[in-house]
Amino acid sequence: MKTLEEIRKIREEKRKELDLRVNLKANTVEKHILVCRGTGCTSSHSPQIIEKFREIIKEKNIQNVKVIQTGCFGLCSKGPIVIIRPEDVFYSMVKPEDCEEIINTHILGGNLVERLLCKDIDKSEVKRLDELNFYKKQKRIALKNCGIIDPENIDEYIAFDGYKALEKVLFEMTAEEVINQISESGLRGRGGAGFPTGKKWEFTRIAKGTQKYVVCNADEGDPGAFMDRSILEGDPHSVIEAMMIAGYSIGADKGYIYVRAEYPIAVQRLKVAINQAREYGILGENIFNTGFNFDVDVRLGAGAFVCGEETALLESIEGKTGRPRLKPPFPANYGLWGKPTLINNVETYANVTRIILNGAKWYSSIGTEKSKGTKVFALGGNVVNVGLVEVPMGTTLREIVFDIGGGIPGGKEFKAAQTGGPSGGCIPKEHLDIPIDYESLSEIGSMMGSGGLIIMDDTKCMVNLAKFYLGFIVDESCGKCTPCRIGTKRMLEILEKITEGKADMEDLEKLERLAGTVKTSSVCGLGQTAPNPVLSTLRYFRDEYLEHIKNKNCPTGECKALSHMQINPEKCKKCGLCARNCPVGAIIGSREEGYKIDVDKCIKCGLCKSKCNFKAI
C-alpha cells in the first residue's frame, strides 16, 4: 500500500531516472535498450532478443545499461525493433544473433551498426526514430506511452504522469465537472459509432440505481485490427485509470474489462497492472483516503465477433450466450445485471487522462470541427509500412497511405481502402484525398469503425473482397434475428454464384434488394452494417460485378473459376521466371521461342502472375 505522498515521490524521482526515454539531450551516462514486446515482435523472437541482451550485459559486466521491454513502436513491418536511448538509434529486423554486435559495436564501441539501421521508404538509412517518414505526421495521444515504458512496471507509468489525472479528479473536480471536460473536448466513441463520450457518461450518471458499472470493450474482432490490443499490451494502466475516472463520474465502484482470449499478452499485462494497482492501494477501497472505492476485473471473450456489440458483450459477461439485446433500453439505464452501465472501448478510455490533464480546449484544438482528437489505425494489406498509426482527425487517406504508409509495394497501383472491417466500406482511388473523419467517411458510404484500415492494390478483385467479408459475417452471426441469420447467407450465396460465373443480372438485383433489407431490419449493428462491403463495392466497382456476370471474367484473376491465364507476347521479356515458378509445369516454351500457358495443366494459382516483373500475364 502506497500513500499519495509516496506515489508523488515515485513520480518525481522515477521521471528523472527515465528522462533519457524522451529527451535526446538527457544528462546521463546510462543507456536504455528498448525492445518491442508487442505481439508482432514477440512472434519474431523479441523475448529471446531481450534475454540475449541481458545475458551479454551480465557476462561482460557492463554498467549503466538496461534492457527494457516495451509495447508496440508502431512500425510492425520492420520488427523486431530495438531502440537505444537517449541517442534514439532505431535498429530494425533485429535477430537474437545480432545482439552481440550491437553491444560490442554500439554500446561499447560507440559506433552504429549500419546494416541494422532502419531503411526509410526512399531506401535511405535512418539513424533516429523521429527521422522516419512513418512518424512525422503522427500525433500520439492514445499511444502516448507505447514504446516508451515497460507496461509491466507501474512505477514507469506513474513517472509519466500516471494516476495524476485520477488524483486531480478526486481532489479538485466534481463528477459533473469531469463529464463537462469530456463533453467539451469533443471526444467521441472510438469503437465505431462515434457517439459523444460525454453524453454517454452523463446519461449513465443520471440513471437511477445505487449500483452502477463501468465496462471496457476490448473485444476487438475486425480482421486486421490490432489497435486496442496494442494499447493494452503497451499501456494497460492508462485504461485502468480512465475507467476509475469514469467510475467516479457516474457513481460506479466496479469495472470489467472484456478482452479477447486470443490476446494472451494483453490479458497477462492487464492482470499484472491490476494487481500492481491493488498493491499500491490505487485500486480498492478508500482510494487516496477520499472515500472513493473502485476495483476492476478481467473477463475473457471466447472469440465471438458479435460480442463486440455492447449488449451482446454484457450478456457474455453475465455468463449467457453472447447475443444482442433489443434497444431501448440502452445500457446506460439497463446494462450489466440490469444495472446502469457505461461502456466504452479501449481507445476511447486511452484519451481520457490526457484530456483531464491538458484540458478540453487542448484536445478540441486537434482534428476537425466535428471529429476531435486523433484516431489510431491498424494499417495493413498492400502497403509498405504495415503497422499502427495515430493521426489527427482530418488527415487524408493519401497522407496515411503514401506519406506514412510508404505507398504500394511492388510498383502496383492503389485501388481501394477498406475501413471499418466487415462493417465498413471501400474507398476508391478517386477519394484518396478525403479527410478521415466520421462525417466524411459516412458521406461516401464507408465508416470509421474501430480503426482497421486495409489497403488493396490493383491485383485485388472487389467482388471477391465482398464475398470474403460476407463469409466472415455469416460465420459470426449469432442467428438471433432472421434478416442477419438468413439474409446474409443468401447474399453470400449470390456472391459465390457471381465469382463462379453462374450468376445473371437478376441475381445482382436480388443482391441489392437483400442488402437493403438486411441493413434496415437487423436487430444489432453487426447485421445492420453487414451489407456495407457489398453496397460500397457495388457503388464504386459495379463494372467488376458486370464483368463477372456478363462476360464471365474476373479481370484480376482472383476468382479462379473465371480467370483465364495467358501470356501477352508483347510484354513478355522471355526471362523464364514464370516457367521456373509454375508448380505444375503448365508454362511451356524457351527463352528463344517465348512462353505460353498450357490451359489444360494450369491450376490458376496465380503464382506466375505474382512473379512476373513485366505484367505480361
Side-chain angles (χ1 to χ4, degrees):
M1 183 78 71
K2 300 284 185 184
T3 65
L4 180 57
E5 288 70 28
E6 287 174 324
I7 289 173
R8 287 171 174 168
K9 188 175 181 181
I10 290 171
R11 183 178 297 129
E12 181 182 352
E13 293 180 353
K14 196 72 176 179
R15 183 64 180 80
K16 291 177 182 176
E17 178 188 330
L18 301 182
D19 184 48
L20 78 167
R21 301 271 181 93
V22 292
N23 182 6
L24 300 185
K25 297 180 180 179
N27 183 23
T28 178
V29 295
E30 257 198 5
K31 292 186 187 299
H32 285 188
I33 301 175
L34 307 180
V35 183
C36 174
R37 269 282 275 117
T39 294
C41 287
T42 295
S43 68
S44 299
H45 311 299
S46 67
Q48 291 92 320
I49 292 171
I50 293 172
E51 185 180 340
K52 188 68 175 176
F53 271 132
R54 288 174 176 167
E55 182 183 299
I56 296 168
I57 289 169
K58 185 177 180 180
E59 285 177 358
K60 294 179 180 288
N61 194 27
I62 301 172
Q63 304 298 310
N64 299 318
V65 177
K66 293 181 181 178
V67 183
I68 313 295
Q69 67 168 0
T70 73
C72 180
F73 291 105
L75 191 47
C76 303
S77 58
K78 300 293 186 181
I81 291 172
V82 172
I83 293 180
I84 299 180
R85 295 274 166 80
E87 53 265 56
D88 202 34
V89 172
F90 190 115
Y91 292 127
S92 64
M93 298 183 181
V94 177
K95 299 175 183 177
E97 52 266 34
D98 297 323
C99 296
E100 186 92 36
E101 184 178 359
I102 292 174
I103 293 293
N104 291 335
T105 304
H106 186 139
I107 302 299
L108 298 178
N111 298 308
L112 299 178
V113 183
E114 300 284 345
R115 67 180 184 85
L116 294 175
L117 289 175
C118 185
K119 290 183 171 54
D120 212 336
I121 52 178
D122 60 0
K123 306 301 182 185
S124 62
E125 289 182 346
V126 177
K127 296 179 181 179
R128 296 207 323 248
L129 180 147
D130 62 358
E131 294 175 344
L132 280 164
N133 283 295
F134 180 79
Y135 294 102
K136 288 180 180 177
K137 290 192 175 183
Q138 293 195 49
K139 184 175 182 64
R140 287 194 156 201
I141 297 177
L143 300 176
K144 59 187 179 296
N145 288 331
C146 294
I148 293 176
I149 67 170
D150 178 351
E152 296 185 23
N153 187 331
I154 190 173
D155 288 353
E156 293 204 359
Y157 177 72
I158 290 172
F160 289 95
D161 293 334
Y163 294 106
K164 191 175 182 179
L166 176 65
E167 179 186 334
K168 179 179 179 180
V169 163
L170 294 182
F171 287 96
E172 300 176 22
M173 302 175 74
T174 65
E176 292 85 352
E177 287 173 336
V178 174
I179 292 175
N180 286 339
Q181 278 272 47
I182 300 301
S183 297
E184 290 170 11
S185 73
L187 177 64
R188 296 168 65 173
R190 297 301 196 249
F195 189 81
T197 303
K199 279 188 178 181
K200 183 179 279 193
W201 288 28
E202 177 63 15
F203 290 156
T204 317
R205 186 188 72 81
I206 64 176
K208 295 180 180 179
T210 55
Q211 177 64 60
K212 297 181 181 181
Y213 296 101
V214 175
V215 172
C216 175
N217 183 348
D219 191 62
E220 183 178 53
D222 289 0
F226 52 96
M227 303 78 59
D228 291 351
R229 185 194 75 197
S230 296
I231 293 171
L232 293 177
E233 290 177 352
D235 195 16
H237 285 282
S238 68
V239 176
I240 295 168
E241 183 179 7
M243 291 178 69
M244 296 178 73
I245 292 170
Y248 171 81
S249 303
I250 69 168
D253 62 3
K254 184 67 177 179
Y256 291 95
I257 302 175
Y258 186 88
V259 60
R260 299 179 73 81
E262 298 95 329
Y263 286 177
I265 297 176
V267 171
Q268 181 255 334
R269 288 187 182 155
L270 268 175
K271 291 180 177 179
V272 168
I274 289 170
N275 288 335
Q276 289 176 339
R278 285 174 181 159
E279 288 172 8
Y280 274 38
I282 294 172
L283 277 174
E285 296 183 356
N286 194 25
I287 297 164
F288 298 156
N289 289 319
T290 61
F292 173 59
N293 305 326
F294 196 85
D295 206 353
V296 175
D297 280 325
V298 174
R299 290 291 183 269
L300 300 184
F305 178 69
V306 72
C307 286
E309 196 278 336
E310 59 183 11
T311 60
L313 181 153
L314 295 178
E315 292 282 297
S316 183
I317 292 178
E318 292 178 10
K320 304 171 186 175
T321 300
R323 288 181 172 175
R325 302 171 182 173
L326 289 172
K327 293 186 288 188
F330 293 95
N333 292 300
Y334 187 88
L336 197 58
W337 293 294
K339 308 298 183 182
T341 303
L342 172 68
I343 308 175
N344 285 124
N345 84 323
V346 171
E347 187 185 342
T348 309
Y349 284 123
N351 284 279
V352 168
T353 59
R354 291 293 291 276
I355 292 171
I356 297 298
L357 291 176
N358 296 335
K361 287 185 179 179
W362 165 79
Y363 191 81
S364 64
S365 68
I366 304 164
T368 65
E369 182 181 354
K370 295 182 179 180
S371 298
K372 303 297 185 182
T374 60
K375 182 71 190 80
V376 181
F377 290 100
L379 184 62
N382 303 125
V383 65
V384 173
N385 292 333
V386 172
L388 200 67
V389 305
E390 183 173 4
V391 294
M393 290 280 197
T395 302
T396 66
L397 179 60
R398 185 184 298 276
E399 289 176 293
I400 295 174
V401 174
F402 292 95
D403 296 343
I404 297 172
I408 314 301
K412 296 181 173 62
E413 297 291 325
F414 172 90
K415 184 172 186 177
Q418 174 80 7
T419 62
S423 303
C426 289
I427 304 174
K429 191 174 184 177
E430 56 263 35
H431 289 304
L432 258 175
D433 292 305
I434 189 171
I436 301 295
D437 59 48
Y438 292 102
E439 285 70 32
S440 297
L441 292 180
S442 179
E443 286 174 7
I444 63 169
S446 187
M447 63 183 292
M448 184 79 70
S450 58
L453 182 56
I454 308 299
I455 310 303
M456 288 159 282
D457 63 27
D458 52 8
T459 67
K460 302 304 174 186
C461 171
M462 305 312 289
V463 184
N464 193 53
L465 177 84
K467 185 181 75 171
F468 165 79
Y469 280 119
L470 254 294
F472 179 87
I473 290 293
V474 168
D475 288 342
E476 295 293 341
S477 173
C478 74
K480 181 173 183 175
C481 70
T482 302
C484 183
R485 183 181 70 250
I486 304 299
T488 56
K489 178 65 175 174
R490 298 290 87 85
M491 290 175 67
L492 177 60
E493 289 171 353
I494 294 172
L495 287 168
E496 287 172 343
K497 285 180 68 177
I498 293 173
T499 57
E500 292 169 2
K502 299 175 182 177
D504 54 30
M505 290 303 296
E506 186 177 344
D507 289 308
L508 189 61
E509 294 171 7
K510 287 180 183 177
L511 180 64
E512 291 186 274
R513 286 201 305 271
L514 265 173
T517 301
V518 172
K519 189 177 183 70
T520 56
S521 56
S522 292
V523 167
C524 81
L526 183 143
Q528 292 162 10
T529 58
N532 284 353
V534 173
L535 292 171
S536 65
T537 51
L538 277 169
R539 179 176 179 179
Y540 295 113
F541 300 96
R542 195 179 191 88
D543 57 330
E544 288 196 29
Y545 282 86
L546 297 178
E547 183 70 15
H548 281 68
I549 293 170
K550 291 184 176 181
N551 299 328
K552 310 301 179 188
N553 176 50
C554 175
T556 67
E558 275 202 322
C559 302
K560 291 183 181 181
L562 300 182
S563 63
H564 306 285
M565 309 298 288
Q566 59 183 5
I567 297 174
N568 184 339
E570 294 181 2
K571 291 185 177 181
C572 180
K573 303 300 181 183
K574 302 178 182 180
C575 65
L577 189 61
C578 57
R580 291 195 297 275
N581 282 280
C582 180
V584 293
I587 300 178
I588 56 177
S590 65
R591 301 190 70 170
E592 291 76 23
E593 299 174 358
Y595 295 89
K596 63 180 181 178
I597 298 174
D598 185 336
V599 294
D600 294 328
K601 287 185 178 181
C602 179
I603 59 173
K604 302 176 182 179
C605 66
L607 186 60
C608 58
K609 183 177 180 180
S610 67
K611 292 293 183 180
C612 181
N613 296 320
F614 309 104
K615 297 183 178 181
I617 299 176

